[in-house]
Amino acid sequence: MKVLNLMTVDEFLVWDSPEGYLWQLIDGVPVAMSPPAPVHGAIQNETGSLIRNHLFERDSPCTVITTPGVIPPFQSAISIRQ
């Protein structure tokens, strides 16, 4: 039985990953992702714009910030989702 060395989020964030792929860390294992579809970027952009406009119209001090990854509360030391 082969024992895997699980990668932590800190190790993943400085990892020199192979070129040509986007990666996410799932339960300590780097997993290559499919290339993003253009429609996905358009949906993200439109959603951010709608939220930003809503906040602006209400003079909210809040702002929209997009982050490159999400660290889930469960197994947060070994998982980061893109």
Side-chain angles (χ1 to χ4, degrees):
M1 179 176 174
K2 184 178 180 180
V3 177
L4 294 175
N5 291 328
L6 299 182
M7 185 182 286
T8 67
V9 169
D10 290 338
E11 292 168 331
F12 177 76
L13 292 174
V14 297
W15 175 52
D16 188 20
S17 61
E19 295 289 325
Y21 294 97
L22 296 173
W23 295 85
Q24 60 185 351
L25 186 66
I26 301 176
D27 299 334
V29 179
V31 177
M33 299 170 44
S34 299
V39 71
H40 185 254
I43 291 169
Q44 285 180 311
N45 186 51
E46 185 64 20
T47 303
S49 295
L50 290 169
I51 295 170
R52 181 202 60 229
N53 293 345
H54 176 82
L55 295 170
F56 179 77
E57 290 167 0
R58 284 152 185 78
D59 293 323
S60 173
C62 299
T63 187
V64 177
I65 299 174
T66 325
T67 59
V70 175
I71 299 174
F74 179 73
Q75 293 187 319
S76 61
I78 58 171
S79 294
I80 184 169
R81 304 287 179 136
Q82 299 286 346

